[in-house]
PDB file of all heavy atoms in Angstrom:
ATOM      1  N   CYS E  98       3.446  -6.762  -4.509  1.00  0.00           N
ATOM      2  CA  CYS E  98       3.302  -7.722  -5.606  1.00  0.00           C
ATOM      3  C   CYS E  98       2.223  -8.738  -5.202  1.00  0.00           C
ATOM      4  O   CYS E  98       1.972  -8.976  -4.019  1.00  0.00           O
ATOM      5  CB  CYS E  98       4.623  -8.439  -5.850  1.00  0.00           C
ATOM      6  SG  CYS E  98       4.562  -9.588  -7.255  1.00  0.00           S
ATOM      7  N   ALA E  99       1.608  -9.356  -6.207  1.00  0.00           N
ATOM      8  CA  ALA E  99       0.566 -10.354  -5.941  1.00  0.00           C
ATOM      9  C   ALA E  99       1.154 -11.718  -5.588  1.00  0.00           C
ATOM     10  O   ALA E  99       0.414 -12.633  -5.206  1.00  0.00           O
ATOM     11  CB  ALA E  99      -0.342 -10.482  -7.158  1.00  0.00           C
ATOM     12  N   ASP E 100       2.450 -11.863  -5.707  1.00  0.00           N
ATOM     13  CA  ASP E 100       3.133 -13.132  -5.430  1.00  0.00           C
ATOM     14  C   ASP E 100       2.616 -13.760  -4.125  1.00  0.00           C
ATOM     15  O   ASP E 100       2.597 -13.095  -3.080  1.00  0.00           O
ATOM     16  CB  ASP E 100       4.645 -12.855  -5.331  1.00  0.00           C
ATOM     17  CG  ASP E 100       5.471 -14.124  -5.303  1.00  0.00           C
ATOM     18  OD1 ASP E 100       5.225 -14.977  -4.430  1.00  0.00           O
ATOM     19  OD2 ASP E 100       6.367 -14.263  -6.153  1.00  0.00           O
ATOM     20  N   ARG E 102       3.847 -15.684  -2.109  1.00  0.00           N
ATOM     21  CA  ARG E 102       4.805 -15.829  -1.004  1.00  0.00           C
ATOM     22  C   ARG E 102       4.947 -14.545  -0.185  1.00  0.00           C
ATOM     23  O   ARG E 102       5.565 -14.543   0.873  1.00  0.00           O
ATOM     24  CB  ARG E 102       6.180 -16.238  -1.559  1.00  0.00           C
ATOM     25  CG  ARG E 102       6.146 -17.564  -2.271  1.00  0.00           C
ATOM     26  CD  ARG E 102       7.406 -17.784  -3.073  1.00  0.00           C
ATOM     27  NE  ARG E 102       7.529 -16.830  -4.176  1.00  0.00           N
ATOM     28  CZ  ARG E 102       8.568 -16.781  -5.007  1.00  0.00           C
ATOM     29  NH1 ARG E 102       9.573 -17.615  -4.855  1.00  0.00           N
ATOM     30  NH2 ARG E 102       8.597 -15.886  -5.986  1.00  0.00           N
ATOM     31  N   ILE E 103       4.366 -13.465  -0.710  1.00  0.00           N
ATOM     32  CA  ILE E 103       4.436 -12.184   0.005  1.00  0.00           C
ATOM     33  C   ILE E 103       3.063 -11.948   0.623  1.00  0.00           C
ATOM     34  O   ILE E 103       2.090 -11.738  -0.086  1.00  0.00           O
ATOM     35  CB  ILE E 103       4.724 -11.004  -0.962  1.00  0.00           C
ATOM     36  CG1 ILE E 103       5.782 -11.377  -1.989  1.00  0.00           C
ATOM     37  CG2 ILE E 103       5.072  -9.742  -0.196  1.00  0.00           C
ATOM     38  CD1 ILE E 103       7.094 -11.839  -1.423  1.00  0.00           C
ATOM     39  N   VAL E 121      -0.695  -6.063  -7.117  1.00  0.00           N
ATOM     40  CA  VAL E 121      -0.655  -6.384  -8.535  1.00  0.00           C
ATOM     41  C   VAL E 121       0.722  -6.991  -8.803  1.00  0.00           C
ATOM     42  O   VAL E 121       1.711  -6.585  -8.172  1.00  0.00           O
ATOM     43  CB  VAL E 121      -0.885  -5.124  -9.414  1.00  0.00           C
ATOM     44  CG1 VAL E 121       0.214  -4.086  -9.216  1.00  0.00           C
ATOM     45  CG2 VAL E 121      -0.995  -5.479 -10.894  1.00  0.00           C
ATOM     46  N   ALA E 122       0.771  -7.972  -9.709  1.00  0.00           N
ATOM     47  CA  ALA E 122       2.055  -8.585 -10.034  1.00  0.00           C
ATOM     48  C   ALA E 122       3.019  -7.494 -10.505  1.00  0.00           C
ATOM     49  O   ALA E 122       2.727  -6.763 -11.461  1.00  0.00           O
ATOM     50  CB  ALA E 122       1.879  -9.653 -11.110  1.00  0.00           C
ATOM     51  N   GLY E 123       4.127  -7.356  -9.826  1.00  0.00           N
ATOM     52  CA  GLY E 123       5.121  -6.333 -10.173  1.00  0.00           C
ATOM     53  C   GLY E 123       4.980  -5.052  -9.370  1.00  0.00           C
ATOM     54  O   GLY E 123       5.727  -4.105  -9.577  1.00  0.00           O
ATOM     55  N   ASN E 124       4.040  -4.993  -8.441  1.00  0.00           N
ATOM     56  CA  ASN E 124       3.834  -3.841  -7.528  1.00  0.00           C
ATOM     57  C   ASN E 124       4.110  -2.473  -8.147  1.00  0.00           C
ATOM     58  O   ASN E 124       4.974  -1.724  -7.671  1.00  0.00           O
ATOM     59  CB  ASN E 124       4.654  -4.028  -6.231  1.00  0.00           C
ATOM     60  CG  ASN E 124       6.109  -4.402  -6.432  1.00  0.00           C
ATOM     61  OD1 ASN E 124       6.458  -5.585  -6.480  1.00  0.00           O
ATOM     62  ND2 ASN E 124       6.966  -3.400  -6.575  1.00  0.00           N
ATOM     63  N   GLY E 150       8.463  -4.292  -2.958  1.00  0.00           N
ATOM     64  CA  GLY E 150       8.947  -5.243  -3.949  1.00  0.00           C
ATOM     65  C   GLY E 150       9.457  -6.477  -3.235  1.00  0.00           C
ATOM     66  O   GLY E 150       9.418  -6.557  -2.009  1.00  0.00           O
ATOM     67  N   HIS E 151       9.926  -7.450  -3.976  1.00  0.00           N
ATOM     68  CA  HIS E 151      10.488  -8.647  -3.314  1.00  0.00           C
ATOM     69  C   HIS E 151      11.524  -9.319  -4.192  1.00  0.00           C
ATOM     70  O   HIS E 151      11.525  -9.167  -5.417  1.00  0.00           O
ATOM     71  CB  HIS E 151       9.368  -9.636  -2.951  1.00  0.00           C
ATOM     72  CG  HIS E 151       8.724 -10.274  -4.143  1.00  0.00           C
ATOM     73  ND1 HIS E 151       9.100 -11.516  -4.622  1.00  0.00           N
ATOM     74  CD2 HIS E 151       7.747  -9.845  -4.965  1.00  0.00           C
ATOM     75  CE1 HIS E 151       8.343 -11.812  -5.686  1.00  0.00           C
ATOM     76  NE2 HIS E 151       7.527 -10.820  -5.916  1.00  0.00           N
ATOM     77  N   GLU E 152      12.374 -10.062  -3.525  1.00  0.00           N
ATOM     78  CA  GLU E 152      13.425 -10.853  -4.159  1.00  0.00           C
ATOM     79  C   GLU E 152      12.818 -11.807  -5.186  1.00  0.00           C
ATOM     80  O   GLU E 152      11.708 -12.302  -4.981  1.00  0.00           O
ATOM     81  CB  GLU E 152      14.039 -11.716  -3.046  1.00  0.00           C
ATOM     82  CG  GLU E 152      15.535 -11.719  -2.968  1.00  0.00           C
ATOM     83  CD  GLU E 152      15.946 -12.547  -1.759  1.00  0.00           C
ATOM     84  OE1 GLU E 152      15.385 -13.641  -1.518  1.00  0.00           O
ATOM     85  OE2 GLU E 152      16.828 -12.093  -1.059  1.00  0.00           O
ATOM     86  N   SER E 153      13.518 -12.077  -6.244  1.00  0.00           N
ATOM     87  CA  SER E 153      13.119 -13.072  -7.250  1.00  0.00           C
ATOM     88  C   SER E 153      11.711 -12.842  -7.776  1.00  0.00           C
ATOM     89  O   SER E 153      10.936 -13.800  -7.916  1.00  0.00           O
ATOM     90  CB  SER E 153      13.210 -14.491  -6.676  1.00  0.00           C
ATOM     91  OG  SER E 153      14.478 -14.721  -6.125  1.00  0.00           O
ATOM     92  N   CYS E 154      11.361 -11.602  -8.056  1.00  0.00           N
ATOM     93  CA  CYS E 154       9.997 -11.308  -8.525  1.00  0.00           C
ATOM     94  C   CYS E 154       9.807 -11.856  -9.947  1.00  0.00           C
ATOM     95  O   CYS E 154      10.491 -11.446 -10.887  1.00  0.00           O
ATOM     96  CB  CYS E 154       9.755  -9.803  -8.495  1.00  0.00           C
ATOM     97  SG  CYS E 154       8.087  -9.363  -9.050  1.00  0.00           S
ATOM     98  N   GLY E 155       8.862 -12.779 -10.100  1.00  0.00           N
ATOM     99  CA  GLY E 155       8.614 -13.405 -11.399  1.00  0.00           C
ATOM    100  C   GLY E 155       8.094 -12.421 -12.423  1.00  0.00           C
ATOM    101  O   GLY E 155       8.402 -12.534 -13.620  1.00  0.00           O
ATOM    102  N   ALA E 156       7.320 -11.441 -11.977  1.00  0.00           N
ATOM    103  CA  ALA E 156       6.766 -10.456 -12.914  1.00  0.00           C
ATOM    104  C   ALA E 156       7.878  -9.590 -13.492  1.00  0.00           C
ATOM    105  O   ALA E 156       7.903  -9.313 -14.700  1.00  0.00           O
ATOM    106  CB  ALA E 156       5.725  -9.591 -12.193  1.00  0.00           C
ATOM    107  N   VAL E 157       8.802  -9.175 -12.629  1.00  0.00           N
ATOM    108  CA  VAL E 157       9.920  -8.347 -13.112  1.00  0.00           C
ATOM    109  C   VAL E 157      10.818  -9.190 -14.012  1.00  0.00           C
ATOM    110  O   VAL E 157      11.264  -8.736 -15.075  1.00  0.00           O
ATOM    111  CB  VAL E 157      10.714  -7.742 -11.922  1.00  0.00           C
ATOM    112  CG1 VAL E 157      11.927  -6.970 -12.435  1.00  0.00           C
ATOM    113  CG2 VAL E 157       9.825  -6.822 -11.094  1.00  0.00           C
TER     114      VAL E 157
HETATM  115 ZN1   ZN X 305       6.576 -10.378  -7.683  1.00  0.00          ZN
END
Side-chain angles (χ1 to χ4, degrees):
C98 183
D100 191 304
R102 298 167 294 178
I103 318 303
V121 63
N124 49 269
H151 68 96
E152 228 176 44
S153 307
C154 180
V157 176

